[in-house]
């Protein structure tokens, strides 16, 4: 476990329900880090069809539910993404945390803002239905793809470059930050980690957890850092893994009063 204690850790775009989601790695990373606040910065789900969630995905949700226990003294914040749209009422029951459209906090005398970033992607905003159908197609493609999902991963990167999402989201976020008087703004959505500064405002993107190089952000005394997670053999604790294997879909669903096979209305892209 890392000895550093961060004020905030941010991860986004885990896309639970997708065959490419690296939920187990994300859960292990969170176990290894110490932080006072966790921000799940949107698109934690691919869509709201819980029937697509695997045991690994439910284990991640179970861990988030444990983290949100007041005894842990960790503030867990969920910021809604375009794939998470419609989860506001569901999430408070599923993992016991509140969902925000955007979240503002202060640290080190600076004002910080977390927003998923699809709000600055005009293609998503103007083509909601088309993006929803594309998501269904993309999820099916992942099932047909080979083990390491090379075709699906290539299309994801191609989509980001073709739509110039990174540049568009960064530009929109910087304007949004200036309008709201914040010093640092954090987004996801593009699946590509980056940072950019414009005058006295800093923009950061947390990347995602569906590619071969998952990334996350920490904020602490040393400033803001974008980390790439590389799993090592000793990151796995067999005893802990066996214990968490008992956290199944039925466990979390029963605790929350939700059906593990439920499908909720979603218009995510």
């Amino acid at each position: 476990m890392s000895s550093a204690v961060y004020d905030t850790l941010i991860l986004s775009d885990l896309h639970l329900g997708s065959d490419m989601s690296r939920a187990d790695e994300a859960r292990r990373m969170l176990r290894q880090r110490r932080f006072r606040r966790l921000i799940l910065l949107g698109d934690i789900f691919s869509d709201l069809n819980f029937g697509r969630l695997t045991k690994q995905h439910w284990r991640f949700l179970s861990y988030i539910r444990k983290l949100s226990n007041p005894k842990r003294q960790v503030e867990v914040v969920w910021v809604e993404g375009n794939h998470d749209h419609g989860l506001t009422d569901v999430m408070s029951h599923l993992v016991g945390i509140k969902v925000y459209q955007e979240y503002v906090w202060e640290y080190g005398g600076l004002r910080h803002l977390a927003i998923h970033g699809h709000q600055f992607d005009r293609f998503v905003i103007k083509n909601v239905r088309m993006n929803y159908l594309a998501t269904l197609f993309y999820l099916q493609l992942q099932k047909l793809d080979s083990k390491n999902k090379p075709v699906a991963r290539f299309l994801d990167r191609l989509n980001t470059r073709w739509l110039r999402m990174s540049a568009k989201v960064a530009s929109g976020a910087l304007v949004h930050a200036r309008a709201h008087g914040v010093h640092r703004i954090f987004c996801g959505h593009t699946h590509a980690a980056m940072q950019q500064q414009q005058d006295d405002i800093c923009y950061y993107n947390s990347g995602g957890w569906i590619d071969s190089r998952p990334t996350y952000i920490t904020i602490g005394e040393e400033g803001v850092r974008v980390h790439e997670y590389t799993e090592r053999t000793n990151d796995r604790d067999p005893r802990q893994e066996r214990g968490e294997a008992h956290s199944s879909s039925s466990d979390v669903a029963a605790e929350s009063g939700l059906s593990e096979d439920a499908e909720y209305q979603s218009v995510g892209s």
Side-chain angles (χ1 to χ4, degrees):
M1 177 179 288
S2 171
S3 60
V5 180
Y6 302 109
D7 175 74
T8 303
L9 188 148
I10 301 174
L11 70 83
S12 69
D13 297 272
L14 185 58
H15 289 274
L16 299 176
S18 162
D19 288 358
M20 292 175 17
S21 176
R22 303 185 67 172
D24 266 352
E25 290 97 323
R27 177 175 52 83
R28 283 192 280 267
M29 180 275 291
L30 291 177
R31 273 206 330 247
Q32 296 158 14
R33 306 292 179 264
R34 299 166 64 195
F35 43 86
R36 302 184 187 94
R37 178 186 298 107
L38 170 64
I39 298 180
L40 302 169
L41 193 47
D43 285 2
I44 301 304
F45 287 96
S46 267
D47 66 2
L48 304 190
N49 183 351
F50 290 168
R52 291 195 180 99
L53 301 183
T54 66
K55 289 183 178 180
Q56 291 83 359
H57 301 166
W58 284 106
R59 280 203 296 266
F60 178 86
L61 292 173
S62 178
Y63 186 70
I64 295 301
R65 189 177 180 85
K66 292 175 183 176
L67 274 183
S68 67
N69 189 315
K71 293 180 180 179
R72 294 287 189 109
Q73 296 185 324
V74 174
E75 179 186 7
V76 182
V77 174
W78 193 303
V79 176
E80 187 177 77
N82 47 305
H83 287 262
D84 299 325
H85 182 74
L87 269 180
T88 303
D89 295 329
V90 176
M91 289 314 303
S92 60
H93 297 289
L94 186 62
V95 290
I97 60 178
K98 187 175 179 180
V99 180
Y100 297 81
Q101 294 299 310
E102 57 184 81
Y103 180 78
V104 177
W105 76 104
E106 297 214 8
Y107 174 71
L110 299 176
R111 189 171 168 85
H112 299 66
L113 186 150
I115 183 170
H116 180 62
H118 64 283
Q119 297 89 340
F120 315 122
D121 184 347
R122 292 183 180 179
F123 185 85
V124 166
I125 294 173
K126 292 181 178 180
N127 299 277
V128 173
R129 186 62 182 172
M130 180 190 300
N131 281 294
Y132 174 62
L133 295 174
T135 295
L136 297 180
F137 170 78
Y138 189 59
L139 289 170
Q140 187 60 38
L141 173 65
Q142 292 171 34
K143 294 186 179 300
L144 301 174
D145 204 354
S146 58
K147 182 178 179 180
N148 293 324
K149 313 299 178 187
V151 176
R153 295 188 197 281
F154 171 75
L155 289 177
D156 182 67
R157 292 191 295 270
L158 184 65
N159 180 59
T160 297
R161 295 191 184 102
W162 176 59
L163 295 176
R164 296 182 61 249
M165 281 200 299
S166 288
K168 292 175 182 176
V169 171
S171 177
L174 287 165
V175 171
H176 189 75
R178 189 170 301 281
H180 289 76
V182 301
H183 303 91
R184 294 169 174 168
I185 186 165
F186 302 86
C187 295
H189 185 59
T190 68
H191 302 174
M194 70 171 289
Q195 58 188 76
Q196 181 177 328
Q197 182 167 348
Q198 186 179 89
D199 299 326
D200 57 341
I201 300 174
C202 294
Y203 162 79
Y204 300 89
N205 195 291
S206 53
W209 285 77
I210 62 171
D211 209 337
S212 57
R213 300 171 64 182
T215 52
Y216 63 98
I217 288 173
T218 58
I219 305 164
E221 293 180 357
E222 76 287 355
V224 180
R225 290 186 58 197
V226 179
H227 305 258
E228 180 178 328
Y229 179 68
T230 303
E231 189 170 57
R232 298 163 298 184
T233 305
N234 60 0
D235 286 341
R236 296 171 179 257
D237 184 337
R239 291 171 299 178
Q240 196 161 16
E241 292 290 329
R242 284 195 296 269
E244 289 180 346
H246 295 296
S247 297
S248 65
S249 57
S250 56
D251 294 333
V252 181
E255 289 177 6
S256 61
L258 297 172
S259 169
E260 61 190 273
D261 297 318
E263 181 171 2
Y264 295 85
Q265 183 63 36
S266 170
V267 289
S269 68

